[in-house]
Each structure stands twice: as C-alpha cells, then as structure tokens.
Amino acid sequence: MESLDDEGVVLRVGEVAARHGDDPHRLVQILRDVQAALHHVPAAALDGLAQRLGLARVQVEGVATFYSHLSATARGHYHFLFSDGYTDRMLGREALVEQLCAALGVERGVPSADGRVTIEDTACTGLCDQGPAGLVNGRPLSGLGPMRIETIAGLVKLGVPVDEWPQELFDVADNIHRRDLLLAGPIQSGDGVRAVLERGAEATLAEVERAGLRGRGGAGFPTARKWGFCRQAEADERVVACNADEGEPGTFKDRVLLHTQPDLVFEGMTVCARVIGARRGLVYLRGEYAFLREPLEAVLAERRRQGLLGKAILGAEGFDFDIEIHLGAGAYICGEESAMIESLEGHRGTPRIRPPFPVVSGYLGLPTVVDNVESFAAAGAIAAHGGDWFCACGTAESTGTKLLSVAGDCARPGIYEFPFGVTVAEVLEACGGSGARAVQVGGPSGTCIGQTEFSRRIAFEDLATGGAFTVFGPGRDMVEVALHHSRFFAHESCGFCTPCRVGTSVLAQGLERIARGGAGRADLEPLKQLSGVMRSMSHCGLGMTAANPFMQTLERFPEDYEERLAGDDVMPAFDLDAALAEARALSGRDDAHAHLEQRHG
Amino acid sequence: MADGTITIDGQTVPFTEGQTIMQAAEAAGVYIAHLCHHPEFRPHGSCKLCTVKAGGRHVAACTAPASDGLEVENESEELAAGRRALLQLLFVEGNHYCPFCERSGNCQLQALAYRYGMVEPHFPHFYPQREVDASHPDVVLERNRCILCALCVRASRDVDGKHVFDIVGRGIHARLAVNSASGRLADTDLAPGDRALEVCPVGAIIVRGRGFAVPIGERLYDHRPINEIGNRVPESEQ
Ligand SMILES: Cc1cc2nc3c(=O)[nH]c(=O)nc-3n(C[C@H](O)[C@H](O)[C@H](O)COP(=O)(O)O)c2cc1C
Ligand code: SF4
Ligand code: SF4
Ligand code: FES
C-alpha cells in the first residue's frame, strides 16, 4: 500500500481540496475523496484540511468521525462492507461473511496482517431484493452465495484489482414486478419542463395541488403546500434538494427509480425549480449508491445538451437551473431533511432546530424544498399529464401510486407499484408471501403487523410508508427482529439528544438480555417507560421511532417474549461472577471460593 | 408572530416577538428545568430536560417559539417522570461519582436529580472509558462527567472566538474533543478568563485551585433547590 508521511498526506489532501475549490461546504465530499485515495482519513489530513479550508481542526475531526464510511485507521485496498440488513441475515449472510474471512485469513473488522483486506459489516445497503449483498470498494455485490464468495476470494488472492473483476459480479437487477402510473408510462424527457413553461408556474403548482400529491419519503406532507411556502419565502435565491439517502432498512425503490427513470426525477426537480424560482438543484445520494453516480451524471450531461438544464432552459429567458450530485458517507440520519442539509453544507449530520423549516431557511440559509426521489418523479409526471390523471388513482387522502420495496420471505422480491389503498394481503398475494407471520411496513421506523391486520391498507390514513414492505414468514423470531433493529438505531443515532443517544443503547442492551433469556417480566417495565420517553422527548424522527420495533413486537407477538422471560421478577443486570474474572486472573485463583453463584441477565 | 401571552401551568406569562417559551418563562421568573440552555448563548436543544407540553405537543421549551395563547404544561407528573428518566440516562451514560466530585453541591445535574426525586439509576450503568485531560496548567477536563451540552463549545466559539472545544464521534460514541493535533488541552489556545471555563453545568471543566473554595454542605444547591435559585455556576468557581 502506498504509504505517505504526514507531509505527503497534507500535500495530497491539499490537491483533493483544490479539486473542490477549497470550499469548506464541500467537506463531506472532500473527506470521501481523501478516504478513497488514502484508504482512511489520517490525523495529518485533519490538520491539512483545517488549515486549507480555514476551519478548526476539531471541527474537521467532528465531521470525519461522524460518518461510517470514513475511518481514522487504514482500510484495505480490498474493502468489503457486507450488508447487515435483517433480510440479508435471513438469506444466510453470516455464513458468507465467515466464509470470506476464513478464505482470506482475515478477522471481521480487523485489517489483514498485510493491510490489503478489510471485511466489515454495514447497515442495509438497499439491495434487499437480491441479498445477501454488500459493497467492495464502493461497488455493489449482490446475490452472494458460496460460489460467488469463492470466486471473490480467488480474485483477491490473485491480486486482481476490483476494477478488473468480471462485470457480472457487480450487476444490480431492477426486479420490477408491477408497473403503474410512474413505471408503466414514462414521459418523454422534456415533457414536464415544456408543460410548466406553457402552463406557467402558478398553474403548475395548482396542478400538483389538484393531484393531491403527498411526500413519498414517509411523512406525507402535501407537496404543493411545501412548494408554495418556499415560493413565498423572502429570498433572492432558492434551492431544490432531492433526498436520495434511502437509508431505511428494507427500502430500495429510489435506487430503482434513479436507475430506470432518472429523467423523470430530474424533470420533477426542474419543474419544482420553475415553480419556486430556484437556480440550484442538489441530489443527496446515499454513499452506498455511489455506483449510480456516473450514469446519473451522464443523464445530467445529456439534459444540459438538450437545453433542459443550464442557462435559459428551453430558451426561456431567466429560467436557469442546474443539478449537482452530492454523496453521503454512511449515516442513516442524513435522510432526515435538516440533517441532510447540514451534511450538504459539509457538517455533521445533526438535525436542526425547527422552526425555521427548510422551506424558510435551508441550504446555506436559503429557502429550500427537500423532497423524496419518488415525490419528484411523481411531480414530473403530474406536470406532463395533469393533476386529474394522478388523483384518479389511489384513495381520497392518498392519491396516486406507491412504489413498494418488497423483500424477505416471499417468492418474488422486488419493486411493486400499487395504487394507494392496496391491502397488505393483496401485496403479499402478488409477491408470493401469503402465509407470512408478520410484515414490517415502512421499515423498522414504520409499523410491524401480524396476520390479523393484513386487511389494512397502504395509505397515509392507515399504514403510511416510505416504501419498505418486509415479509417475515412462519417461524421467524420477532424478538430477534426487534433486537436487530434496536441495534441499528443505536448505531445510527447521531448522538445529539439525550433520549435517543443514550436511550437507543439502553434499549438495545435490554433487548439483548431478553433475547438471551436473561430478563424477567418486571424488566420490561423500565424499557416500556423508556420507549415512551424516547417517543415524546427526542429531537427528531429517529429517536421518536427507534423504540417501534420493540413496542410493536411486544404488543403483537407477546408469545415470542414470554418464551424467553425468566419468571416475573427483575433479573440482576450485573454479573458478579464475571466481574471477579480480572481479580481471579491477577491472583491466579480459580477455586470455588473465588466464584460467586448468582443468576443474572 | 407578535407579542402576546402564553400560560405556563395556568399562570399567564407575557412574551415579546421572537422569544422562546424558555425565554418568556425566565423573564417572568418561572423555572423550567434545563441543562444545555443558557440565556447568553444560542439555543441548542440537546438535553431535552426542558421538554414541556405546549398545545398538547411535546416540545423543547428552549427552542420552541412562544405564540399567543399557547397553553404550556411544565410541572406535570408525566413530564417529571420523563425528566427523571432523562437524568437517569445522563447518569448511566457517564461516570458520576458525586461524593468525590469538586462540583458536588454546585452541580446542576445533581441538583436536578434531587429536584426530580431520582433515587437510583434505574438503567444499567455503561461504565464508559473516558479520558481525563490534566495537561493544562489551569484547567482539568474530566470527561467522565461531561453531559455533551455543548455550552463550552458555544462559549469558546461564539464568545471567545477560539473554537477550543467540539463534539466528535457519533451516537453513544459522541465525546468532547479539543482543538489540537495532540488532542491535549495544553496544546490549545484556551486561557484563564475564557468564557468557556465558566459555563459547564457539571464538574467536567474544573478550574484548578477553586474546587473546594466553599466546603461541601455550604454550596449553592445544598440548602435550596435549583428551581428556586436557577442554573448557576457559583462565583467561587469562575
Ligand atoms: C431518521 C430519518 C430518516 C429519513 N430518511 C429519509 C430518506 O432516506 N429519504 C427520504 O426521502 N426521506 C427521509 N426522511 C424524511 C425526510 O425528513 C423528509 O420528510 C422527506 O425527505 C421530505 O420529502 P417528501 O415530502 O417528498 O417525502 C427521513 C426522516 C427521518 C426522521
Ligand atoms: S433523536 Fe437521535 S438522531 Fe435525532 S437528533 Fe436526537 S440523537 Fe440525533
Ligand atoms: S464539558 Fe461541560 S460544558 Fe462542555 S459539553 Fe461537557 S458538560 Fe457541557
Ligand atoms: S435546555 Fe432545552 S434541550 Fe437542553
């Protein structure tokens, strides 16, 4: 591995910063590039960047230590990140990670002796329909099995650079099983933009309102109302930001939209720009989807060539708008809109205090519309086809269609575009998942339901969802599912506020004790109370929903908990005997008197 | 939003345009529990001790704007239970050994724990390994007691113009770091007289030689509860 002394590092990061115009607001992008070039962000890089960008060193350190894809210690030239979504687990990812570790003689999470290889776990990478999955040097690996792992191990041993590996290893399928409004009839590129120019900004906003479009990122805020607020905000400049962070475990529909319908998404952003009067567009693409960057850049270049982006779009004087892609660096919280804006500005992904809302003060303090990928795609189509076309589909309160990311225990995982109002049972029928024990709608932060509720509908007025639809078949242990997702939230908490920073860890530890049979019935009470505090007192949606997996599985699958609870009482959390281990080692004793008998959790 | 009044637990409290619920309460002498709020600094909103119910919704009083007619619930049983839980979380997250802390009796965390009747930690202790930085001739940074309120961060950055402190790491691994390549306080430009040294609500930033100027038993919160005298760093420790 190329190894640089501190001076070399400073020179190198200086070059990287220069490529980004020495702009401190591009710090996250700069740090990503430093990580890619040096396989880590060494201490000297923090000094070099601080000086170069005019920031305090500790501030740069704060950013560099926030994102999972950045590391203070060197990662291998072959850097594997295995997706640790629960569906990856259901598909046997654990054995595969172990297989690769054994084949390469590497311990998980520890660089190989020669520093060439690192194998680590990471949160769901958004390839749940073709798992077990992962990334090698940022490139996607899907449909992993023992044969593929063997092939990969062989390539690493031979020292074949990742760029020269057979392309088929990196193939990512779209797996679209049902098409409706958005996926069945893509518009010609430019149709939406032409329509907004013909109809005018105000009338276009009215069409989006007539369509009844509500945000597809999960919260369901009326899109026209958001655009209207932004349009009215006092400012010389406004910003359109597309939320492509898609970090909710089990969700992958934005990946497919960006792969199959990028024009429609950009069309929607451009329509929004015209409506609110923005010149600047940003796409925040999750780091795990870095492989989509090049094809998306190509589409943007083509749109510029066609006069659909840039100065005087389609000849309309003063209609200047362009789109820039920013990459995330491994932080689920950056999907929260104000954390995303912080990250776009080169900061830690800490959610902002609201009000002010982004529509009033967003990116660099400018009024900013943040919308989900699918919301922009729908807006683009609405501009072209009109509001009536859209609201003819769906329910009164939830118009149009929803792209569902279906994964887990079903015959045909993939993307299903259904009109809103479809029942869970109907989706299960379509994907070959009938007989399921549970379905998690909207990922771990959403709602987990059992069979008696499968007649419920996917709609904002019933089961709201950002798009995840994860199926758990008969025999799946819901305590394990809750434990897994509690750990996810503890890992992803930004650490800003007390209830979430500490609460998620306490909850994950509590579930660990329950799962291994070390808790009594009375131990549930403090965890339930804590869940309530997290819900009501957290700063943002992450902490507010982080206890959902625990609370919902406890309510709906109490038998899974009952099986494990060791009686009615509280079990001591502290293992007295284990605590004596160090003393035993120091004193060289291991007789009966050097041990304490105690049942513990 | 113009001037107007809100009610806090039924008491009418006036506010001026742009004030938060906390600012209005402070001006009226109504105490709302808090740790990361300080009237001289930008609102931060991280500790959540100030959570109240306003118009039926839970909000942080230190960041939520007051609006005319808003009904605020502050000292209810439910909110007290929530605040107690937050205090317990702060205690188990760090290593707080009050009997040997220089700030005991002057500590706002401890005072609030008394106020909300926290008699046990309730949750398992984390016993984290945290670094104590005794490198500086005038100041000791005792991270075991840091509650990540970022008051020192704001004071150093916004008042001292130095950016000596900041929070690094994520989630439960978040920690207070200082601005030097060595990571040591001695190698920063922190100096006696910095505002950052006078704002820590707990015993994490200790100015040397002042810890026991006033004996335990005669300290700020030893005789009167925090809701009566407010969140203060005693003169003796500044
Ligand atoms: C922890 C957290 C993660 C989120 N992740 C995403 C995401 O990955 N994509 C997304 O579009 N919205 C996400 N959201 C919701 C956004 O904050 C915001 O509501 C959304 O981007 C608005 O766009 P929409 O109105 O089109 O839905 C997340 C929210 C929270 C609290
Ligand atoms: S709820 Fe969690 S993620 Fe959100 S601000 Fe608080 S600590 Fe950060
Ligand atoms: S050292 Fe004190 S003031 Fe600074 S963050 Fe920690 S608790 Fe707050
Ligand atoms: S005082 Fe309001 S959140 Fe800390």
Side-chain angles (χ1 to χ4, degrees):
Chain A
M1 185 190 299
E2 176 193 22
S3 95
L4 296 172
D5 58 8
D6 287 358
E7 228 169 286
V9 166
V10 171
L11 274 175
R12 195 62 178 276
V13 302
E15 287 161 22
V16 173
R19 278 207 303 278
H20 289 275
D22 287 323
D23 181 357
H25 290 128
R26 297 191 58 85
L27 182 56
V28 176
Q29 308 308 303
I30 293 170
L31 287 168
R32 276 189 56 95
D33 290 354
V34 168
Q35 174 81 34
L38 305 176
H39 306 286
H40 68 315
V41 181
L46 304 179
D47 295 310
L49 288 174
Q51 218 162 41
R52 181 116 195 176
L53 304 176
L55 299 169
R57 182 195 196 272
V58 71
Q59 201 178 351
V60 180
E61 185 184 354
V63 178
T65 52
F66 187 86
Y67 297 91
S68 301
H69 293 171
L70 307 174
S71 63
T73 53
R75 282 173 174 160
H77 276 203
Y78 296 98
H79 177 52
F80 291 92
L81 281 174
F82 278 90
S83 178
D84 194 11
Y86 203 78
T87 55
D88 294 294
R89 289 202 165 206
M90 285 160 43
L91 292 163
R93 55 93 63 189
E94 275 301 299
L96 298 173
V97 182
E98 274 161 31
Q99 186 193 341
L100 187 64
C101 286
L104 298 176
V106 178
E107 195 185 325
R108 202 186 309 202
V110 182
S112 59
D114 59 6
R116 281 174 66 236
V117 184
T118 37
I119 300 176
E120 293 174 23
D121 292 337
T122 192
C124 168
T125 55
L127 294 165
C128 326
D129 57 333
Q130 46 207 297
L135 300 161
V136 59
N137 296 359
R139 301 191 60 179
L141 297 166
S142 65
L144 292 171
M147 299 278 283
R148 282 204 161 194
I149 294 289
E150 209 177 297
T151 307
I152 290 168
L155 290 163
V156 173
K157 283 187 199 157
L158 285 172
V160 181
V162 171
D163 284 342
E164 292 167 24
W165 289 11
Q167 177 52 41
E168 74 212 27
L169 283 175
F170 305 122
D171 283 346
V172 173
D174 295 322
N175 292 334
I176 299 174
H177 296 297
R178 191 179 194 284
R179 296 168 188 273
D180 213 306
L181 293 185
L182 298 184
L183 297 176
I187 60 170
Q188 291 292 310
S189 73
D191 279 1
V193 184
R194 264 184 287 278
V196 75
L197 282 175
E198 277 162 28
R199 204 187 271 124
E202 214 146 318
T204 302
L205 186 60
E207 282 303 318
V208 178
E209 176 148 23
R210 185 203 304 277
L213 177 61
R214 294 173 66 174
R216 266 44 181 166
F221 193 83
T223 306
R225 200 170 339 146
K226 191 190 293 186
W227 292 14
F229 285 144
C230 192
R231 184 179 149 87
Q232 286 157 19
E234 291 283 334
D236 298 333
E237 224 190 303
R238 293 181 186 75
V239 180
V240 178
C242 175
N243 190 341
D245 196 48
E246 191 157 72
E248 187 72 33
T251 315
F252 48 87
K253 50 101 187 166
D254 292 340
R255 160 174 62 77
V256 175
L257 268 178
L258 290 168
H259 187 234
T260 62
Q261 313 273 0
D263 261 308
L264 190 57
V265 178
F266 296 143
E267 201 82 22
M269 290 179 71
T270 313
V271 167
C272 176
R274 183 61 171 177
V275 169
I276 66 169
R279 274 185 292 163
R280 199 152 176 197
L282 297 162
V283 176
Y284 191 86
L285 184 64
R286 78 181 295 212
E288 290 79 353
Y289 291 172
F291 63 91
L292 287 173
R293 182 186 199 138
E294 247 177 70
L296 289 173
E297 294 284 10
V299 174
L300 289 175
E302 178 57 25
R303 289 182 74 85
R304 284 182 201 114
R305 216 184 48 76
Q306 295 175 2
L308 294 170
L309 284 177
K311 285 229 172 292
I313 289 174
L314 292 180
E317 208 45 55
F319 184 10
D320 306 339
F321 179 67
D322 212 328
I323 296 173
E324 193 188 322
I325 299 171
H326 276 241
L327 279 164
Y332 165 67
I333 187 57
C334 289
E336 194 282 334
E337 58 186 11
S338 65
M340 183 188 110
I341 291 170
E342 285 288 308
S343 185
L344 284 168
E345 291 183 2
H347 305 146
R348 294 159 63 80
T350 308
R352 290 181 177 175
I353 294 167
R354 291 176 301 168
F357 291 92
V359 284
V360 173
S361 176
Y363 180 68
L364 301 178
L366 303 170
T368 303
V369 162
V370 179
D371 275 325
N372 174 255
V373 172
E374 189 181 345
S375 308
F376 280 123
I382 290 164
H385 297 297
D388 288 336
W389 165 81
F390 191 78
C391 66
C393 192
T395 72
E397 283 171 77
S398 312
T399 55
T401 59
K402 184 80 195 83
L403 267 65
L404 298 174
S405 314
V406 178
D409 293 316
C410 62
R412 291 172 298 280
I415 297 295
Y416 292 76
E417 186 186 8
F418 270 107
F420 266 118
V422 66
T423 64
V424 170
E426 284 164 343
V427 179
L428 283 172
E429 175 77 37
C431 71
S434 302
R437 179 166 192 230
V439 176
Q440 199 186 49
V441 181
S445 74
T447 318
C448 184
I449 58 171
Q451 283 174 348
T452 55
E453 294 175 88
F454 286 176
S455 57
R456 291 179 65 180
R457 297 179 184 282
I458 305 290
F460 294 109
E461 62 273 25
D462 191 353
L463 291 168
T465 171
F469 188 101
T470 314
V471 186
F472 299 98
R476 291 293 174 196
D477 180 343
M478 300 314 287
V479 172
E480 289 296 331
V481 174
L483 169 60
H484 183 85
H485 291 127
S486 303
R487 286 183 175 145
F488 166 78
F489 286 123
H491 184 260
E492 298 300 332
S493 165
C494 84
F496 174 73
C497 73
T498 312
C500 172
R501 180 183 68 246
V502 195
T504 52
S505 283
V506 170
L507 192 59
Q509 283 176 10
L511 270 159
E512 269 161 33
R513 285 180 64 208
I514 294 170
R516 63 165 193 263
R521 205 157 285 118
D523 285 314
L524 293 176
E525 271 320 305
L527 295 181
K528 283 199 238 173
Q529 191 218 352
L530 172 65
S531 301
V533 170
M534 288 164 65
R535 164 164 295 281
S536 59
M537 294 189 163
S538 288
H539 182 67
C540 84
L542 193 155
M544 289 176 190
T545 58
N548 283 3
F550 166 63
M551 290 302 281
Q552 295 173 353
T553 54
L554 182 63
E555 188 188 320
R556 289 165 167 111
F557 306 96
E559 62 277 16
D560 291 26
Y561 285 83
E562 281 299 324
E563 248 174 41
R564 291 179 148 100
L565 293 175
D568 286 332
D569 221 354
V570 177
M571 295 280 283
F574 193 73
D575 182 348
L576 289 174
D577 188 56
L580 284 178
E582 198 179 339
R584 277 194 297 270
L586 287 173
S587 60
R589 278 180 59 181
D590 199 21
D591 55 290
H593 294 294
H595 283 275
L596 282 168
E597 256 308 327
Q598 178 211 31
R599 270 192 350 142
H600 62 82
Chain B
M1 233 177 295
D3 299 358
T5 59
I6 59 175
T7 60
I8 302 180
D9 293 332
Q11 180 183 340
T12 300
V13 169
F15 70 91
T16 55
E17 178 168 348
Q19 274 188 326
T20 60
I21 295 172
M22 180 70 81
Q23 285 165 338
E26 268 173 348
V30 174
Y31 186 74
I32 299 178
H34 60 274
L35 281 169
C36 72
H37 165 78
H38 188 300
E40 288 169 42
F41 302 104
R42 262 197 267 169
H44 190 60
S46 70
C47 75
K48 300 303 175 196
L49 258 295
C50 69
T51 305
V52 293
K53 242 175 162 170
R57 284 180 45 232
H58 289 92
V59 296
C62 70
T63 60
S67 62
D68 200 29
L70 194 65
E71 288 178 25
V72 178
E73 189 182 304
N74 176 32
E75 291 296 351
S76 68
E77 194 33 59
E78 184 226 333
L79 290 169
R83 287 174 188 158
R84 196 179 310 124
L86 293 178
L87 291 162
Q88 286 161 333
L89 293 174
L90 287 171
F91 271 95
V92 301
E93 177 192 29
N95 296 306
H96 296 271
Y97 299 101
C98 302
F100 25 130
C101 178
E102 299 85 336
R103 201 47 75 78
S104 192
N106 284 332
C107 170
Q108 298 169 25
L109 176 69
Q110 186 190 42
L112 281 167
Y114 282 129
R115 161 104 178 112
Y116 285 102
M118 182 191 141
V119 290
E120 40 94 39
H122 204 60
F123 304 113
H125 277 285
F126 286 28
Y127 300 117
Q129 298 269 339
R130 293 192 186 167
E131 264 175 66
V132 178
D133 185 338
S135 65
H136 199 281
D138 307 303
V139 184
V140 178
L141 181 58
E142 217 316 8
R143 289 191 180 83
N144 287 298
R145 305 164 183 163
C146 173
I147 56 167
L148 300 169
C149 72
L151 269 171
C152 59
V153 177
R154 283 174 277 166
S156 180
R157 186 189 57 208
D158 303 342
V159 179
D160 303 330
K162 290 186 180 176
H163 215 136
V164 169
F165 301 99
D166 216 334
I167 288 164
V168 306
R170 184 171 88 193
I172 198 68
H173 305 293
R175 63 190 174 84
L176 187 70
V178 301
N179 191 33
S180 65
S182 64
R184 287 163 13 119
L185 205 51
D187 299 325
T188 67
D189 50 1
L190 184 76
D194 279 3
R195 191 76 179 100
L197 297 178
E198 301 170 348
V199 292
C200 184
V202 293
I205 295 180
I206 295 290
V207 177
R208 288 182 194 264
R210 300 195 189 158
F212 292 97
V214 176
I216 290 180
E218 295 172 23
R219 296 180 169 190
L220 220 46
Y221 303 119
D222 283 340
H223 301 290
R224 287 171 64 202
I226 190 164
N227 54 310
E228 285 178 20
I229 48 182
N231 292 47
R232 282 169 33 196
V233 175
E235 303 287 316
S236 62
E237 304 227 358
Q238 294 186 8

